[in-house]
């Protein structure tokens, strides 16, 4: 049996193992969530922004996000400006799935 040792002394991410153990998630969704959990809060969480750094196309990233939303790991909310026009999308990303993201964000 091979033994692998990984030296973790810099530039690593600590995250929950929950999504890695969720057998309902595809490998794409697991990897996308891991990537998103690794990014800073001010990252460009658009389909184009995520596609730029992950090597998959926009449609592939979209499919991964839809899967993560379905399982409660990602919540996307379209925000409107003062004129009622769609302005941007706000993302909430969870290490453990949420059944009601709104309830999690309220005091």
């Amino acid at each position: 049996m091979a033994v692998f040792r990984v030296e973790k002394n810099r530039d690593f991410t600590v995250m929950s193992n929950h999504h890695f153990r969720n057998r309902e998630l595809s490998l794409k969704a697991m990897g996308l969530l891991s990537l998103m959990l690794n990014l800073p809060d001010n990252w460009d969480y658009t389909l184009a922004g995520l596609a730029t750094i992950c090597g998959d196309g926009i449609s592939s990233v979209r499919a991964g996000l839809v899967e993560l939303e379905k399982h409660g790991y990602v919540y996307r909310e379209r925000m409107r400006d003062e004129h009622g026009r769609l302005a941007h999308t706000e993302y909430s990303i969870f290490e453990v799935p949420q059944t009601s993201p709104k309830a999690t964000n309220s005091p």
Side-chain angles (χ1 to χ4, degrees), residues 38-106:
N38 176 53
L39 295 171
D41 291 343
N42 62 349
W43 181 258
D44 177 16
Y45 285 96
T46 60
L47 293 172
L50 290 168
T52 299
I53 61 168
C54 75
D56 279 6
I58 289 176
S59 61
S60 177
V61 171
R62 181 182 294 114
L65 279 175
V66 166
E67 182 178 350
L68 290 171
E69 283 181 295
K70 174 184 167 192
H71 291 284
Y73 290 96
V74 172
Y75 177 72
R76 289 188 285 178
E77 184 176 6
R78 296 295 307 258
M79 307 305 287
R80 296 186 179 272
D81 64 15
E82 62 275 0
H83 303 291
R85 296 180 300 229
L86 293 175
H88 65 279
T89 303
E90 195 171 285
Y91 286 80
S92 297
I93 304 162
F94 306 100
E95 291 188 75
V96 177
Q98 306 294 307
T99 54
S100 176
K102 291 270 187 189
T104 312
N105 294 333
S106 59

Side-chain angles (χ1 to χ4, degrees), residues 12-64:
F12 63 94
T13 301
V14 177
M15 66 183 76
S16 171
N17 286 322
H18 189 280
H19 64 290
F20 292 120
R21 294 183 178 140
N22 185 339
R23 295 171 115 359
E24 294 179 2
L25 289 181
S26 68
L27 186 57
K28 177 194 306 191
M30 287 181 204
L32 183 59
L33 181 59
S34 299
L35 176 70
M36 293 172 78
L37 290 169
N38 176 53
L39 295 171
D41 291 343
N42 62 349
W43 181 258
D44 177 16
Y45 285 96
T46 60
L47 293 172
L50 290 168
T52 299
I53 61 168
C54 75
D56 279 6
I58 289 176
S59 61
S60 177
V61 171
R62 181 182 294 114

